[in-house]
């Protein structure tokens, strides 16, 4: 199952400058592991040592923040759109 | 002079150190960067006497502010009155109450002059010629005025539908005012894109680590004005949550550098009910901040739906035994009137939020009635005058006749 994942500028160094990549996984946790296989180093930028999503990284599934879904256990299907967006600092 | 006290920037999440440039997020985990000091050196260098010998401005706490040389912008900012509010205390049924009155801060009548003084002094040190901000109104006023006085070019970006006086009070300084068709979060998002592209000094984006530290001076002043004591309870309005976290930091730093002895204090946050992401999280017992996509409140200056420091603000309240409240539009109006009628202080809607929430926290018993309370009034009522439209009786109108006058007052 291939899901489109959009990658923010600061992480494109890890994806060969691609702004979207495809990855697979039944849920967000599995998707992150799959991303790590193809783009080593990306996982550590998204989750902390304990495996929790980093506080200032947002992952959206079809526009919904996974923190308000099932977090890393949020289920995915093939036509979902996933985007990784660092929190906007400021204000 | 070379400055030994402010050493570097530090990521609040992972602790990574960064040089003190115009950067604000950690490259690794996107955490916010914060100014880091050598407190040992400051402790050896600072004293109550030394501070008291200096001019009555926010810069008397110079060692604890993140610039290298002498300040060059906003030299007269701060040291606003701490008013012992006995009539308000009586109205609220509490024994000891103070109002920290930044409604009369210099030059633009809000606490934002503090953050801008630091941000623009630092912007000059870093060589910026153009400065800018994303603002809910007060910050724009202060950037416009202080940049004008410093001879810096400025751009201020605001939601297009702010109060008339807030807009006017930016325009008059000759800044470029840009109204964005959207809520503050969209203004802020655009500003981070502009900051990346144009290389301007955005006081609350790429200069945010410096900007934010300016808020500490409100806390230092409260301590000094109370005779070098930390108040037991402090009520603070929250938009991004920065001011609240920085007053907490000021109280802790004052202990750390030996200016006051340690004492227990509670930090309380106030928001409008129509935009309460931080208060709602605090009340629900979580530090997960659920954004408010469409804020709806007369307290426009506090209408930030995705507060950058919300997580930290909730944790400050939790760790100090504080709490949060939120206030409806009519509670905000009533509080504005109460403060005016009891203390002769006319605050903007944000101040109405703060007082209304303080009242609720007292009624619910979260703030005890017999301990020292400080409420932080952060902006001036003349800037949000239209919020009172229809809430005050019109003035009486008579002919210049003694008979008409006597008839009027006999009513
Ligand atoms: C009058 C007033 N009070 C308080 C605040 C809250 O500031 P912060 O973003 O630091 O929470 C603002 C922010 O714009 C403001 O204008
Ligand atoms: Zn970090």
């Amino acid at each position: 199952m291939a899901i489109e994942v959009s990658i923010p500028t600061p992480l494109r160094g890890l994806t060969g400058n691609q702004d979207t990549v495809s990855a697979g996984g039944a849920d967000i946790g599995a998707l992150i592991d799959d991303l790590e296989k193809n783009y080593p180093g990306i996982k550590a930028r998204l989750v902390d040592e304990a495996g929790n999503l980093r506080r200032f990284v947002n992952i959206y599934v079809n526009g919904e923040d996974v923190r308000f879904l099932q977090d890393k256990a949020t289920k995915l299907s093939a036509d979902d759109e996933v985007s990784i967006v660092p929190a906007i600092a400021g204000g | 002079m070379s400055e030994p006290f402010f050493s570097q920037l530090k990521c609040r999440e992972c602790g990574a150190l960064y040089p003190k440039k115009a950067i604000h997020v950690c490259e690794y985990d996107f955490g916010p960067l914060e100014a880091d000091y050598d407190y040992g050196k400051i402790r050896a260098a600072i004293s109550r006497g030394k501070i008291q010998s200096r001019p009555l401005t926010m810069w008397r706490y110079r060692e604890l502010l993140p610039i290298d040389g002498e300040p060059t912008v906003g030299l007269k900012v701060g040291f606003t009155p701490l008013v012992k509010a006995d009539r308000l205390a009586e109205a609220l049924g509490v024994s000891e109450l103070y109002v920290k009155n930044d409604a009369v801060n210099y030059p633009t009548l809000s606490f934002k002059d503090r953050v801008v003084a630091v941000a623009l002094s630092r912007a000059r040190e870093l060589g910026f010629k153009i400065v800018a901000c994303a603002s809910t109104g007060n910050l724009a006023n202060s950037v416009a005025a202080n940049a004008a006085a410093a001879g810096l070019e400025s751009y201020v970006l605001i939601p297009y539908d702010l109060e008339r006086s807030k807009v006017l009070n930016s325009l008059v300084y000759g800044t470029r005012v840009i109204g964005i068709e959207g809520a503050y979060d969209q203004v802020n998002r655009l500003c981070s894109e502009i900051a990346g592209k144009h290389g301007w000094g955005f006081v609350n984006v790429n200069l945010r680590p410096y900007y934010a530290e300016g808020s500490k001076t409100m806390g230092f002043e409260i301590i000094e004005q109370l005779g070098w004591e930390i108040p037991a309870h402090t009520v603070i309005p929250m938009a991004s949550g920065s001011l609240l976290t920085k007053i907490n930091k000021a109280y802790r730093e004052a202990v750390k550098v030996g200016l006051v002895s340690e004492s227990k204090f509670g930090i309380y946050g106030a928001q409008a009910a129509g935009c309460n992401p931080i208060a709602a999280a605090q009340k629900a017992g979580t530090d997960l901040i659920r954004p408010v996509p469409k804020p709806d409140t007369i307290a426009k200056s506090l209408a930030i739906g995705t507060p950058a420091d919300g997580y930290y603000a909730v944790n400050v309240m939790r760790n100090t035994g504080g709490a949060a409240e939120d206030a409806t539009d009519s509670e905000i109006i009533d509080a504005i009137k109460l403060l005016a009628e009891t203390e002769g202080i006319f605050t903007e809607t944000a101040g109405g939020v703060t007082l209304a929430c303080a009242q609720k926290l007292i009624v619910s018993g979260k703030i005890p009635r017999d301990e020292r309370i400080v409420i932080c009034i952060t902006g001036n009522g003349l800037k949000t005058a239209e919020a009172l439209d229809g809430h005050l009786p019109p003035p009486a109108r008579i002919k210049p006749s003694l008979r008409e006058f006597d008839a009027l007052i006999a009513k």
Side-chain angles (χ1 to χ4, degrees):
Chain A
M1 182 176 69
I3 294 165
E4 290 275 281
V5 183
S6 74
I7 305 292
T9 317
L11 296 182
R12 287 181 200 158
L14 296 167
T15 61
N17 267 329
Q18 298 175 82
D19 55 8
T20 46
V21 300
S22 64
D27 61 22
I28 288 289
L31 183 95
I32 291 173
D33 288 336
D34 192 52
L35 283 171
E36 175 68 15
K37 254 187 249 147
N38 293 316
Y39 311 105
I42 199 166
K43 180 172 178 177
R45 308 290 300 276
L46 304 178
V47 299
D48 64 19
E49 295 72 25
N52 298 315
L53 199 55
R54 290 193 184 277
R55 191 156 11 254
F56 293 92
V57 172
N58 300 318
I59 299 184
Y60 298 91
V61 175
N62 303 325
E64 290 267 358
D65 187 334
V66 298
R67 286 196 177 82
F68 300 106
L69 301 170
Q70 279 77 50
D71 218 76
K72 276 189 3 185
T74 303
K75 293 267 173 279
L76 295 171
S77 52
D79 51 356
D80 284 336
E81 271 181 45
V82 174
S83 34
I84 300 172
V85 184
I88 296 275
Chain B
M1 122 190 158
S2 85
E3 179 47 66
F5 304 119
F6 165 46
S7 25
Q8 62 226 329
L9 300 178
K10 187 173 177 178
C11 174
R12 289 196 73 167
E13 290 296 303
C14 71
L17 300 177
Y18 288 87
K20 29 189 189 173
K21 297 197 190 128
I23 49 174
H24 67 304
V25 281
C26 177
E27 284 170 10
Y28 192 70
D29 58 14
F30 311 107
L33 304 184
E34 188 176 36
D36 190 36
Y37 302 85
D38 187 334
Y39 290 110
K41 269 188 197 155
I42 296 175
R43 192 182 170 95
I46 208 172
S47 69
R48 291 181 187 179
K50 203 161 177 181
I51 291 170
Q52 282 161 346
S53 73
R54 295 173 177 166
L56 292 171
T57 77
M58 63 176 263
W59 293 106
R60 59 209 262 118
Y61 314 103
R62 163 74 195 83
E63 286 84 350
L64 290 154
L65 294 170
I67 60 172
D68 291 331
E70 291 302 312
T72 61
V73 182
L75 301 185
K76 303 283 187 195
V77 176
F79 224 79
T80 56
L82 182 76
V83 179
K84 184 144 191 296
D86 290 338
R87 280 173 44 78
L88 181 59
E90 198 183 329
L92 300 186
V94 298
S95 57
E96 194 182 354
L97 180 68
Y98 296 82
V99 171
K100 177 60 174 168
N101 188 9
D102 265 19
V104 292
N105 202 5
Y106 179 87
T108 67
L109 310 175
S110 89
F111 93 96
K112 293 289 186 185
D113 290 324
R114 301 176 182 278
V115 287
V116 170
V118 176
L120 295 193
S121 289
R122 186 65 187 147
R124 273 191 157 166
E125 289 182 345
L126 293 171
F128 287 104
K129 300 281 183 284
I130 302 180
V131 294
C133 67
S135 172
T136 55
N138 284 310
L139 180 62
N141 295 170
S142 187
V143 167
N146 285 295
L152 292 163
E153 195 181 335
S154 68
Y155 289 77
V156 303
L157 287 84
I158 52 175
Y160 76 99
D161 60 350
L162 292 185
E163 300 90 347
R164 228 177 88 77
S165 300
K166 284 249 170 87
V167 179
L168 176 69
N169 197 29
S170 289
L171 287 169
V172 71
Y173 304 107
T175 186
R176 306 272 283 270
V177 181
I178 303 166
I180 306 298
E181 295 170 2
Y184 176 80
D185 288 325
Q186 289 159 292
V187 180
N188 192 42
R189 177 171 294 270
L190 176 62
C191 285
S192 37
E193 289 168 18
I194 300 170
K197 181 165 179 202
H198 288 272
W200 299 346
F202 268 87
V203 304
N204 55 343
V205 183
N206 52 357
L207 296 171
R208 187 169 170 86
Y210 310 99
Y211 153 99
E213 290 285 290
S215 288
K216 292 191 306 192
T217 60
M218 196 163 184
F220 297 139
E221 289 174 17
I222 290 170
I223 289 176
E224 183 178 350
Q225 289 168 314
L226 287 173
W228 300 103
E229 282 182 28
I230 300 174
H233 309 280
T234 309
V235 188
I236 303 159
M238 303 184 290
S240 72
S242 177
L243 174 65
L244 180 137
T245 62
K246 294 296 178 173
I247 288 179
N248 174 67
K249 187 178 184 193
Y251 290 177
R252 292 188 190 285
E253 283 184 348
V255 173
K256 215 185 276 189
V257 303
L259 291 173
V260 283
S261 43
E262 191 153 12
S263 62
K264 192 174 152 31
F265 62 83
I267 298 286
Y268 302 80
Q271 290 200 299
C275 184
N276 65 349
I278 308 177
Q282 195 281 330
K283 286 184 184 182
T286 170
D287 55 26
L288 200 54
I289 309 292
R290 188 182 283 273
V292 172
K294 286 201 167 60
D296 178 15
T297 168
I298 55 170
K300 296 184 185 185
S301 57
L302 301 183
I304 295 185
T306 309
D309 288 311
Y311 164 80
Y312 298 116
V314 169
N315 280 291
V316 163
M317 291 185 267
R318 180 196 295 151
N319 296 338
T320 62
E325 257 305 346
D326 44 41
T328 64
D329 286 354
S330 71
E331 290 168 338
I332 295 168
I333 301 280
D334 288 347
I336 290 175
K337 290 202 252 178
L338 179 65
L339 183 62
E341 289 169 7
T342 55
E343 297 299 332
I345 294 170
F346 183 19
T347 184
E348 71 152 80
T349 46
V353 168
T354 309
L355 176 53
C357 290
Q359 239 172 324
K360 290 172 130 175
L361 290 161
I362 291 161
V363 168
S364 67
K366 289 188 177 138
I367 296 181
R369 294 178 185 273
D370 58 349
E371 292 178 1
R372 187 183 272 171
I373 306 166
V374 172
I375 64 173
C376 294
I377 294 301
T378 50
N380 192 295
L382 291 172
K383 293 202 206 181
T384 60
E386 63 247 51
L388 291 173
D389 281 352
H391 294 279
L392 297 171
R397 178 171 167 171
I398 57 172
K399 299 247 153 47
S401 129
L402 189 56
R403 188 189 306 147
E404 282 201 22
F405 180 77
D406 286 340
L408 179 77
I409 62 167
K411 268 192 215 153

